[in-house]
Amino acid sequence: MSGSTFGNKFKITTWGESHGKALGVVVDGCPAGLPLTEDDIQVYLNRRRPGFSQFSTPRKESDQVEILSGVFEGKTTGTPISLMVRNTSQRSGDYGDIATYYRPGHADYTFDHKYGFRDYRGGGRSSGRETIGRVAAGAIAAKILKTLNISFTTYVSSIGDIVSDPADFDADYISKNELNMPDAKSCEAASAYLSDIMAQNDSIGSTVKCIVSGVPAGLGDPVFDKLDANLAKALMSIGAVKAVEIGDGVMVSENTGSYDNDGFHIEDGVVNKNSNHAGGILGGISDGSDLLLTCHFKATPSIASTQKTINKSGENIDVSIRGRHDPIIGPRAVVVVESMAAITIVNALFDNMSARMDKLVEFYK
Amino acid sequence: MSGSTFGNKFKITTWGESHGKALGVVVDGCPAGLPLTEDDIQVYLNRRRPGFSQFSTPRKESDQVEILSGVFEGKTTGTPISLMVRNTSQRSGDYGDIATYYRPGHADYTFDHKYGFRDYRGGGRSSGRETIGRVAAGAIAAKILKTLNISFTTYVSSIGDIVSDPADFDADYISKNELNMPDAKSCEAASAYLSDIMAQNDSIGSTVKCIVSGVPAGLGDPVFDKLDANLAKALMSIGAVKAVEIGDGVMVSENTGSYDNDGFHIEDGVVNKNSNHAGGILGGISDGSDLLLTCHFKATPSIASTQKTINKSGENIDVSIRGRHDPIIGPRAVVVVESMAAITIVNALFDNMSARMDKLVEFYK
Amino acid sequence: MSGSTFGNKFKITTWGESHGKALGVVVDGCPAGLPLTEDDIQVYLNRRRPGFSQFSTPRKESDQVEILSGVFEGKTTGTPISLMVRNTSQRSGDYGDIATYYRPGHADYTFDHKYGFRDYRGGGRSSGRETIGRVAAGAIAAKILKTLNISFTTYVSSIGDIVSDPADFDADYISKNELNMPDAKSCEAASAYLSDIMAQNDSIGSTVKCIVSGVPAGLGDPVFDKLDANLAKALMSIGAVKAVEIGDGVMVSENTGSYDNDGFHIEDGVVNKNSNHAGGILGGISDGSDLLLTCHFKATPSIASTQKTINKSGENIDVSIRGRHDPIIGPRAVVVVESMAAITIVNALFDNMSARMDKLVEFYK
Amino acid sequence: MSGSTFGNKFKITTWGESHGKALGVVVDGCPAGLPLTEDDIQVYLNRRRPGFSQFSTPRKESDQVEILSGVFEGKTTGTPISLMVRNTSQRSGDYGDIATYYRPGHADYTFDHKYGFRDYRGGGRSSGRETIGRVAAGAIAAKILKTLNISFTTYVSSIGDIVSDPADFDADYISKNELNMPDAKSCEAASAYLSDIMAQNDSIGSTVKCIVSGVPAGLGDPVFDKLDANLAKALMSIGAVKAVEIGDGVMVSENTGSYDNDGFHIEDGVVNKNSNHAGGILGGISDGSDLLLTCHFKATPSIASTQKTINKSGENIDVSIRGRHDPIIGPRAVVVVESMAAITIVNALFDNMSARMDKLVEFYK
């Protein structure tokens, strides 16, 4: 237990269930002196909000964040920052039956087994709403990184078998469409596809990619706190993620060494890589080039079509899940992926500061 | 820094470089009363040993383990277990040049950047030999799990584009071939392919799968210490891994909810899943069915063919890496994957013990 | 940084400053199934509340706690429990000057140096109000321990040089007097003494003792997570504590081995100790007898009498601190000491569960 | 369990029992670039060695340390440093009986209860020899601190009721006498006293003080990782310590605020404290003045005089412990206290580096 804390010197502790009073996070270890307002965080939270897209649940939550501590006269004090979002639109009525059976693809069965009982309303702690805490903390992490010129480009790269063609990639387009896809062509095809899926009372999987630029070389602590190892944990911890790739990812198992190795060359006195199959991480340590991360999300488990399962009395039954559910997870998860990556990188930046005697001596001079 | 420790209540700290005096691990948190001998550990280490396959480096190491503490009269005492393997076959002469340049695909550049300098002999701490500590600890973890009837089937499922057909799967065949593949047909094809690769002074990627049976339901601590999140970290931390999949892995992003959801049914009073797309983990918690894990390994970076890179003076150069190197990582990594999975699961078993009041009260009755 | 988290499997993260919006704690790792209400926690918080004793600050705070997550239908769910108390009685006007100088005995200077600036209102994060989070979490820990028949007797054993005579000890009297002393005679003497102290615009130190009964033998993980080591950290972390003693404490440095050793004897088949100089802990592990803990609190730093210090411009100045302050810390700290001890013991109980193979096998049978 | 690891970014894991093959430590997180040789460590180990003083056990161990990893061409590489000392002078014959009974004052009873059985030879893991790992790591920590001009003066300040008078304090004398006392007068008196104690087959307690100079202000992370809290844990974890004091320690509970507050004054542009009752730590953070630490050690439990205890069959018996034992712990513990303080301070230095945005930005410029 006690698995709701992540990070070392930038440590976040999230809390809250989908149908409880509120959700939030405590960020412990944000350096002092960072300008911070509710707006900085609200911008991030708005990117995950339900009820604003034809493709997401009609449940409307304003999800307004409140900063309860850790900020004084507009800047972080270095003390813990507590952030909270009150739940305003729970409809417990939608969930009454669920207490009695185990929804396929949901954590009902496993939570029941682990804890002896569960808050059956919605997903409880396993609900997508627990990402509110992650994203609120991610907003702070992103602001720290921005100060160091580290930036993110995160988007939905595929929905079902509709894959965005890298040749059509347009970073500016990502925030201009509801699906957070990076080109109009695949976005259009995916929209049509999603309408079909919804008409069939079904849901579909998706892929989210995250490019991180400006990461200094040297981050990551071999052998277990390698940057890719911690990113894998951070991303796999997001609900519905079933695979994480770095750089060429699964393709590396099919390629040769001569193909895969990213050689170096000097250009105008700057070290450059000849390619980036590695995705910016070598030997578990960042190499100065873009980090290339990919997460694969399964389809939303809650679907209205009929499924076979069992109830708590041990009987085989058929169920059809009502309620307000997204047919796809990827688009709203883009900001979650970005947040977890940001939090992990901030931790790696802090952890790296004690790597060398010369830097230590200089710091305390 | 300080990234060489993994785990919580079963904590391992590995140490050692490929060309230092020795390598080893301290296992802190092994319960008292487990029968343990050097042989238990040697069996595991032998599975990763070089010099015994036509497809692996001819460097011969006997890699004999010594138990230095934590065991008394044949059983663990509950105190830290220190294990050591002396290096006996380093050939520093092979590596003299490397001090002056950055080998493509290796951690030379990143280690130099992080620490200011590096032990350039072989891979130093980034060498595959650091897995000795992981495997020695993995042997202990596996023994604990065996006591609880948890077992592993780990194998190389693909080499390049040669993929083992699940229909031909034969668990007994795995340990009978040098490539640790699970069927004779793909093994044969892969062997021929590897000979070609070696003739071209190249290397090739591979995939390792690990099936864990008998895992009780309820392991994993949402939301950050989910079982899959910790497995992802454990596996991604293994050198050369660039992707980790749970269950259907990357395929989930292409599938629908109606396809992907594993429903339940009761059979002879026992709860069974209708399918196992989830790979045994739901909501980050084990569900009692087999864990299905997949790791993708890139090709060995050290290849004799000519590559372009830079030297420490900032000049563009061509290099050809001599020395004794494997053309493929997967076969020798099978036991490493199994070890990291075992260590992660032991941790989850321990961490789960305090999940419920009724179990706590019973324990201290 | 990130020092606001304590514990391992029962992990608490506190947040909040004396003059911020609110204070609170997230408790991560409370087992599922513990009945819990706001009342359980309010009882503990009420024991530390200001404004209710002639000897404490007249500042009145109702300090009502709100449970925001982690409880469903009256029982803990095993998910994080977020507790919050809103500040209602801050008077920032009392503190305006303090921004410009460093109060002696306060953390103004050190916070400024560490963070570059500080929330100068009251003690900010270094204020005694940060103990609200500790006590709220302590209430939960105490409830868990009560279920296991572990109980506390915590009291003020001395104020200045007025020491309660063990021969007069009356546990029932502790909660019947404002000073939380265990006998009427010393309480009376101390009250008179305190009135003098207050008349002199001064403050005085005190000692708090905590007896924990019913702790099972075997808790504590040598060599660094010994039970006494973690208790020392927990108690020393409480503001104003400058010494921690276990059992005979400082007296052991003056005594012989023949005096100090607690021998054992069997009485009616039960193992008993002949004495308890060790204070219930031997080799860092609980031995089944009462834990005897002592904390020494310095006098409240905020006093109205004139003191010499410097201001932020580097000038030597005289100051006299106005505002509403306690002349003594001990009485209100009793519940804080008890809370930190409870939290530490709960952690030790959880951590001990994986100590033996036989118990592990039985748990997962 | 798993309690043998201490620290965060400078993490040490010790291992080994008094009668096992060897003892040692893995230091994970030492910055790269620190010159380090076996001699640096041997100097520290020699300060704790038995068999070289008329007042310590005649058991002779050469305790030669071997560096097994983490150092290359004379400097640390930033990878884990594994240090080992082989046991050469165990006499298991001295301990044969102990398997059958519980020695008073020793951890026999508690280890048996926790683990189900124990390595009964000598103290096993609870033996003073486990400090070998602490001291070896402490040597490295001390070398890092020396680079930053942080130094230690550690000594035995009292033996029984013979207390060194601060007026006679002579730092140079400490290393010139077997008892590590800081003045000839008390040393002489204590020697005579010890001879009496030994003649009575008894042992006596002692106090060790440690002054740390040159510690920069700002170290320590409120509220739980305060510098004094972590020092308390580090010191209390040393076997036989029953009390830890910071600055005036237990005396603070008897003093007033006007006495105890250390005001500030400016002298030649430098901030100075008017006094140092606080012992260099304010609000849990170092204030730039000397750290003043005190540990109280109980008498050695192993004494030859007759004591009452029980055996494993539950019978009341009398025992007289033979074997080679120190009559006092303090003198040989001086270097252990210094080591634990050094390790804690190194951790605080590293943890502090991410406290402020301006320093973070400068570091990554």
Side-chain angles (χ1 to χ4, degrees):
Chain A
M1 286 187 52
S2 80
S4 286
T5 297
F6 181 85
N8 179 27
K9 293 306 297 173
F10 185 82
K11 200 189 288 280
I12 76 172
T13 300
T14 68
W15 55 270
E17 305 95 38
S18 64
H19 286 68
K21 284 189 176 184
L23 301 110
V25 60
V26 179
V27 178
D28 186 20
C30 181
L34 178 77
L36 189 70
T37 65
E38 262 103 357
D39 284 349
D40 290 324
I41 303 166
Q42 198 61 52
V43 164
Y44 262 71
L45 286 174
N46 290 349
R47 291 167 62 187
R48 69 164 293 294
R49 223 165 37 175
F52 292 89
S53 149
Q54 55 159 324
F55 297 117
S56 80
T57 170
R59 167 176 175 173
K60 282 203 175 330
E61 289 269 357
S62 61
D63 285 345
Q64 294 299 305
V65 71
E66 190 183 356
I67 296 178
L68 298 170
S69 68
V71 178
F72 181 59
E73 294 180 346
K75 289 187 297 180
T76 55
T77 55
T79 60
I81 302 168
S82 179
L83 308 172
M84 177 171 75
V85 168
R86 295 245 178 215
N87 269 328
T88 59
S89 173
Q90 310 99 294
R91 277 177 15 193
S92 296
D94 290 335
Y95 296 107
D97 292 349
I98 293 171
T100 63
Y101 64 85
Y102 299 124
R103 294 168 296 171
H106 277 278
D108 302 345
Y109 178 73
T110 48
F111 263 65
D112 230 16
H113 207 100
K114 182 176 183 75
Y115 297 116
F117 76 106
R118 61 185 171 97
D119 175 350
Y120 58 79
R121 303 168 297 169
R125 181 72 176 147
S126 65
S127 154
R129 282 190 68 66
E130 67 83 358
T131 60
I132 280 173
R134 301 179 190 236
V135 172
I140 297 177
K143 194 161 193 191
I144 292 172
L145 296 181
K146 189 171 173 191
T147 312
L148 299 173
N149 300 313
I150 296 171
S151 60
F152 296 82
T153 306
T154 323
Y155 56 97
V156 171
S157 55
S158 75
I159 290 180
D161 56 7
I162 294 162
V163 184
S164 174
D165 189 332
D168 299 331
F169 185 85
D170 175 2
D172 294 330
Y173 188 74
I174 298 168
S175 54
K176 294 181 181 145
N177 71 94
E178 286 176 334
L179 296 177
N180 285 321
M181 293 196 87
D183 77 273
K185 192 169 77 177
S186 50
C187 182
E188 213 176 291
S191 297
Y193 182 49
L194 270 172
S195 296
D196 287 345
I197 289 286
M198 286 168 76
Q200 294 162 38
N201 287 323
D202 211 340
S203 59
I204 188 69
S206 52
T207 305
V208 174
K209 284 190 183 289
C210 179
I211 304 171
V212 194
S213 305
V215 179
L219 305 193
D221 293 333
V223 300
F224 296 115
D225 282 305
K226 289 178 176 180
L227 184 59
D228 46 356
N230 279 329
L231 282 166
K233 172 169 175 167
L235 300 176
M236 191 69 85
S237 80
I238 301 171
V241 173
K242 301 303 287 188
V244 175
E245 302 179 88
I246 308 284
D248 282 8
V250 299
M251 293 311 300
V252 302
S253 54
E254 298 184 38
N255 291 327
T256 61
S258 57
Y259 173 81
D260 187 82
N261 280 354
D262 301 320
F264 298 92
H265 67 271
I266 294 271
E267 209 172 285
D268 304 322
V270 177
V271 173
N272 276 286
K273 286 170 59 176
N274 303 334
S275 48
N276 194 10
H277 298 291
I281 298 175
L282 206 50
I285 299 173
S286 59
D287 64 19
S289 58
D290 286 351
L291 301 191
L292 306 171
L293 318 172
T294 306
C295 304
H296 293 260
F297 286 84
K298 69 177 191 180
T300 324
S302 287
I303 50 181
S305 49
T306 306
Q307 303 179 81
K308 296 192 170 303
T309 189
I310 60 177
N311 62 19
K312 294 191 80 169
S313 315
E315 300 163 322
N316 292 314
I317 60 172
D318 284 348
V319 296
S320 168
I321 294 166
R322 298 166 295 122
R324 310 166 288 169
H325 305 285
D326 293 330
I328 184 175
I329 292 174
R332 290 182 59 203
V334 161
V335 68
V336 185
V337 170
E338 191 167 301
S339 295
M340 292 311 300
I343 291 162
T344 304
I345 294 167
V346 168
N347 270 285
L349 278 163
F350 292 4
D351 282 349
N352 177 56
M353 294 177 83
S354 57
R356 299 171 51 155
M357 281 303 299
D358 54 1
K359 302 271 189 172
L360 179 73
V361 170
E362 189 182 320
F363 188 94
Y364 281 104
K365 191 171 25 150
Chain B
M1 286 187 51
S2 79
S4 287
T5 297
F6 182 85
N8 180 27
K9 293 307 297 176
F10 185 82
K11 198 189 291 281
I12 76 170
T13 300
T14 68
W15 55 270
E17 306 95 38
S18 64
H19 286 68
K21 284 189 175 183
L23 301 109
V25 60
V26 179
V27 177
D28 185 18
C30 181
L34 178 77
L36 190 69
T37 65
E38 263 102 357
D39 284 349
D40 291 324
I41 302 166
Q42 199 61 51
V43 164
Y44 261 70
L45 286 174
N46 290 348
R47 291 168 61 189
R48 68 163 294 293
R49 224 166 36 174
F52 292 90
S53 150
Q54 55 160 326
F55 297 117
S56 79
T57 170
R59 167 176 175 172
K60 282 201 174 338
E61 290 270 355
S62 61
D63 286 345
Q64 294 299 306
V65 70
E66 191 183 356
I67 296 179
L68 298 170
S69 69
V71 177
F72 180 59
E73 293 181 345
K75 289 188 294 178
T76 54
T77 56
T79 60
I81 302 169
S82 179
L83 307 172
M84 177 171 75
V85 169
R86 294 247 179 212
N87 269 327
T88 60
S89 175
Q90 312 98 296
R91 274 177 19 192
S92 297
D94 290 337
Y95 296 106
D97 292 350
I98 293 171
T100 64
Y101 66 85
Y102 299 125
R103 293 169 296 170
H106 277 276
D108 302 345
Y109 179 73
T110 48
F111 263 66
D112 230 16
H113 206 100
K114 182 177 183 73
Y115 298 117
F117 77 108
R118 63 186 170 96
D119 175 350
Y120 57 78
R121 303 168 297 170
R125 181 73 176 145
S126 64
S127 154
R129 281 189 69 65
E130 66 83 0
T131 60
I132 280 174
R134 302 178 191 237
V135 172
I140 297 177
K143 194 159 192 193
I144 292 172
L145 296 180
K146 191 169 171 194
T147 312
L148 299 172
N149 298 314
I150 296 170
S151 61
F152 296 82
T153 305
T154 324
Y155 56 96
V156 171
S157 55
S158 75
I159 290 180
D161 55 8
I162 296 162
V163 184
S164 174
D165 190 333
D168 299 331
F169 185 84
D170 175 4
D172 293 329
Y173 188 74
I174 297 167
S175 54
K176 293 179 181 144
N177 70 92
E178 286 177 336
L179 297 176
N180 286 321
M181 293 195 87
D183 77 278
K185 191 169 77 177
S186 50
C187 182
E188 215 176 290
S191 299
Y193 182 48
L194 271 171
S195 297
D196 287 346
I197 288 288
M198 285 168 77
Q200 294 161 39
N201 286 323
D202 211 338
S203 59
I204 187 69
S206 51
T207 306
V208 173
K209 285 190 182 289
C210 179
I211 305 171
V212 194
S213 306
V215 179
L219 305 194
D221 294 333
V223 302
F224 297 115
D225 282 304
K226 289 178 176 179
L227 184 59
D228 45 356
N230 280 328
L231 283 166
K233 173 170 174 166
L235 300 177
M236 191 68 86
S237 80
I238 300 172
V241 173
K242 302 302 286 188
V244 174
E245 302 179 88
I246 307 285
D248 281 9
V250 299
M251 294 310 301
V252 304
S253 54
E254 299 185 37
N255 291 327
T256 61
S258 57
Y259 173 82
D260 188 79
N261 281 353
D262 301 320
F264 298 91
H265 67 271
I266 294 272
E267 210 172 285
D268 304 324
V270 178
V271 172
N272 276 287
K273 286 169 59 176
N274 302 334
S275 49
N276 194 12
H277 298 291
I281 298 175
L282 207 49
I285 298 173
S286 59
D287 65 20
S289 59
D290 286 352
L291 301 191
L292 306 173
L293 319 171
T294 306
C295 305
H296 293 261
F297 286 84
K298 70 176 190 180
T300 325
S302 285
I303 50 181
S305 49
T306 304
Q307 304 179 82
K308 296 189 170 306
T309 188
I310 60 176
N311 63 19
K312 295 192 80 170
S313 315
E315 301 164 320
N316 293 315
I317 59 172
D318 285 347
V319 296
S320 166
I321 295 166
R322 298 168 296 123
R324 309 166 289 169
H325 305 283
D326 295 328
I328 183 175
I329 292 174
R332 290 182 59 202
V334 160
V335 69
V336 186
V337 170
E338 192 167 299
S339 295
M340 293 310 301
I343 290 162
T344 304
I345 294 167
V346 168
N347 270 286
L349 278 163
F350 291 5
D351 282 349
N352 178 55
M353 295 178 82
S354 57
R356 300 170 50 155
M357 281 303 298
D358 54 1
K359 302 271 190 172
L360 178 73
V361 170
E362 191 183 317
F363 188 94
Y364 281 104
K365 191 173 27 153
Chain C
M1 286 186 54
S2 79
S4 285
T5 297
F6 181 85
N8 179 28
K9 292 307 298 176
F10 185 83
K11 200 190 288 280
I12 76 171
T13 300
T14 69
W15 56 270
E17 305 95 39
S18 64
H19 286 68
K21 284 188 174 184
L23 302 108
V25 60
V26 179
V27 178
D28 186 18
C30 181
L34 178 77
L36 189 70
T37 65
E38 262 102 359
D39 283 350
D40 290 324
I41 302 166
Q42 199 61 53
V43 165
Y44 261 71
L45 287 173
N46 290 348
R47 290 168 63 189
R48 71 163 292 295
R49 224 165 38 174
F52 291 88
S53 150
Q54 55 159 325
F55 297 117
S56 81
T57 171
R59 167 176 176 172
K60 282 203 173 336
E61 289 270 357
S62 61
D63 285 346
Q64 294 299 307
V65 70
E66 190 182 357
I67 295 178
L68 298 169
S69 68
V71 178
F72 181 59
E73 294 181 345
K75 289 188 296 179
T76 55
T77 55
T79 60
I81 303 169
S82 180
L83 307 172
M84 178 171 74
V85 169
R86 295 246 178 213
N87 270 326
T88 59
S89 174
Q90 310 99 296
R91 277 182 9 196
S92 295
D94 290 337
Y95 295 107
D97 292 350
I98 292 171
T100 63
Y101 65 85
Y102 299 124
R103 294 168 296 172
H106 277 278
D108 301 345
Y109 179 74
T110 48
F111 263 65
D112 231 17
H113 207 100
K114 182 176 183 75
Y115 298 115
F117 78 106
R118 62 186 170 96
D119 174 350
Y120 58 78
R121 303 168 297 169
R125 181 72 175 148
S126 64
S127 154
R129 282 190 68 66
E130 67 85 358
T131 59
I132 280 174
R134 301 178 190 236
V135 172
I140 296 177
K143 193 159 194 194
I144 292 173
L145 296 180
K146 189 170 172 193
T147 312
L148 299 173
N149 299 313
I150 295 171
S151 60
F152 296 82
T153 305
T154 323
Y155 56 97
V156 171
S157 55
S158 75
I159 290 180
D161 55 7
I162 295 162
V163 184
S164 174
D165 189 332
D168 299 331
F169 185 84
D170 175 3
D172 293 329
Y173 189 72
I174 297 168
S175 53
K176 294 183 181 144
N177 71 95
E178 286 177 334
L179 296 177
N180 285 321
M181 293 195 86
D183 77 274
K185 192 170 77 177
S186 51
C187 181
E188 215 176 287
S191 298
Y193 182 49
L194 271 171
S195 297
D196 287 345
I197 289 286
M198 286 167 76
Q200 295 163 36
N201 287 323
D202 211 341
S203 58
I204 188 70
S206 52
T207 305
V208 173
K209 283 189 184 290
C210 179
I211 304 171
V212 194
S213 305
V215 179
L219 305 194
D221 292 333
V223 300
F224 297 114
D225 283 304
K226 289 179 176 179
L227 184 59
D228 45 356
N230 279 328
L231 282 166
K233 172 169 174 165
L235 300 176
M236 191 69 85
S237 80
I238 301 172
V241 173
K242 302 302 287 189
V244 175
E245 303 179 87
I246 307 285
D248 282 9
V250 299
M251 294 311 301
V252 304
S253 54
E254 298 184 39
N255 292 327
T256 61
S258 56
Y259 173 81
D260 187 81
N261 281 354
D262 301 320
F264 299 92
H265 67 270
I266 293 272
E267 209 171 287
D268 303 324
V270 177
V271 173
N272 276 287
K273 285 170 59 176
N274 302 334
S275 49
N276 194 10
H277 298 291
I281 299 175
L282 206 50
I285 299 173
S286 59
D287 64 20
S289 58
D290 287 351
L291 300 191
L292 306 172
L293 318 172
T294 306
C295 303
H296 293 260
F297 286 84
K298 70 176 190 179
T300 325
S302 286
I303 50 181
S305 50
T306 306
Q307 303 179 80
K308 294 191 170 306
T309 188
I310 60 177
N311 62 18
K312 295 191 80 171
S313 315
E315 300 164 322
N316 292 314
I317 60 172
D318 284 348
V319 297
S320 167
I321 295 165
R322 299 166 294 122
R324 309 167 288 169
H325 305 284
D326 292 330
I328 184 175
I329 292 174
R332 290 181 60 201
V334 160
V335 68
V336 185
V337 170
E338 191 167 301
S339 294
M340 292 310 301
I343 291 162
T344 304
I345 294 168
V346 168
N347 270 287
L349 278 164
F350 292 4
D351 282 349
N352 178 56
M353 295 177 83
S354 58
R356 299 171 51 156
M357 282 303 299
D358 52 3
K359 301 270 188 172
L360 178 73
V361 169
E362 189 182 321
F363 188 94
Y364 281 104
K365 191 171 23 153
Chain D
M1 284 186 53
S2 80
S4 287
T5 297
F6 181 85
N8 180 26
K9 292 307 297 176
F10 184 82
K11 198 189 291 279
I12 75 170
T13 300
T14 68
W15 54 271
E17 306 95 38
S18 64
H19 287 69
K21 284 188 175 184
L23 301 109
V25 60
V26 180
V27 177
D28 185 18
C30 181
L34 178 76
L36 189 70
T37 65
E38 263 102 357
D39 284 349
D40 291 324
I41 303 166
Q42 198 61 52
V43 164
Y44 262 70
L45 286 174
N46 290 350
R47 290 168 62 188
R48 67 162 296 295
R49 225 167 34 174
F52 291 90
S53 150
Q54 55 161 324
F55 298 117
S56 80
T57 170
R59 167 177 175 170
K60 280 199 174 340
E61 290 269 357
S62 62
D63 287 345
Q64 294 299 307
V65 70
E66 190 182 357
I67 296 178
L68 299 170
S69 68
V71 178
F72 180 59
E73 293 180 347
K75 289 187 296 178
T76 55
T77 55
T79 60
I81 303 170
S82 178
L83 307 173
M84 177 171 74
V85 169
R86 294 245 178 214
N87 270 326
T88 60
S89 173
Q90 311 97 296
R91 276 178 16 193
S92 297
D94 290 337
Y95 296 107
D97 292 350
I98 292 170
T100 63
Y101 65 85
Y102 299 125
R103 293 169 296 170
H106 278 277
D108 302 344
Y109 179 73
T110 48
F111 263 66
D112 230 17
H113 206 100
K114 183 178 183 72
Y115 297 117
F117 77 106
R118 62 186 169 97
D119 175 350
Y120 57 78
R121 304 168 296 168
R125 181 71 175 149
S126 64
S127 154
R129 282 188 70 66
E130 67 84 1
T131 60
I132 280 174
R134 301 178 191 237
V135 172
I140 297 177
K143 193 159 194 192
I144 292 172
L145 296 180
K146 191 171 171 190
T147 311
L148 299 172
N149 299 313
I150 295 170
S151 60
F152 297 82
T153 305
T154 324
Y155 56 96
V156 171
S157 55
S158 75
I159 289 180
D161 56 7
I162 296 162
V163 184
S164 175
D165 189 332
D168 299 331
F169 185 84
D170 175 3
D172 293 329
Y173 188 73
I174 297 168
S175 53
K176 294 181 180 144
N177 70 94
E178 285 176 337
L179 296 176
N180 285 321
M181 293 196 87
D183 75 277
K185 191 170 78 176
S186 50
C187 182
E188 215 176 288
S191 298
Y193 182 49
L194 271 172
S195 297
D196 288 344
I197 288 287
M198 286 168 77
Q200 295 162 38
N201 287 324
D202 211 339
S203 59
I204 187 71
S206 51
T207 306
V208 173
K209 284 190 183 288
C210 180
I211 305 171
V212 194
S213 305
V215 179
L219 305 193
D221 294 332
V223 301
F224 297 115
D225 282 304
K226 289 178 177 181
L227 183 60
D228 45 357
N230 279 328
L231 283 166
K233 172 170 175 166
L235 300 176
M236 191 69 87
S237 80
I238 301 173
V241 172
K242 302 302 287 187
V244 175
E245 302 179 87
I246 308 286
D248 283 8
V250 299
M251 294 311 301
V252 304
S253 54
E254 298 185 39
N255 292 327
T256 61
S258 56
Y259 173 82
D260 188 80
N261 280 353
D262 301 321
F264 299 92
H265 66 272
I266 295 273
E267 211 172 285
D268 305 324
V270 177
V271 173
N272 276 285
K273 286 169 58 176
N274 302 334
S275 50
N276 193 12
H277 298 291
I281 299 175
L282 206 49
I285 299 173
S286 59
D287 65 19
S289 59
D290 286 351
L291 301 191
L292 306 172
L293 319 172
T294 306
C295 304
H296 294 261
F297 286 84
K298 70 176 190 180
T300 325
S302 284
I303 50 180
S305 48
T306 305
Q307 303 179 81
K308 295 190 169 308
T309 187
I310 59 177
N311 63 20
K312 295 191 79 169
S313 315
E315 301 164 321
N316 293 313
I317 59 171
D318 284 348
V319 297
S320 167
I321 295 166
R322 298 169 294 121
R324 310 167 287 168
H325 306 283
D326 294 328
I328 182 176
I329 292 174
R332 290 181 59 203
V334 160
V335 69
V336 186
V337 170
E338 192 167 300
S339 294
M340 292 311 300
I343 291 163
T344 303
I345 293 167
V346 168
N347 270 286
L349 278 163
F350 291 5
D351 282 349
N352 178 55
M353 295 177 83
S354 57
R356 300 170 51 155
M357 280 303 297
D358 55 0
K359 301 271 189 173
L360 179 71
V361 170
E362 191 182 318
F363 188 93
Y364 281 104
K365 190 171 29 154

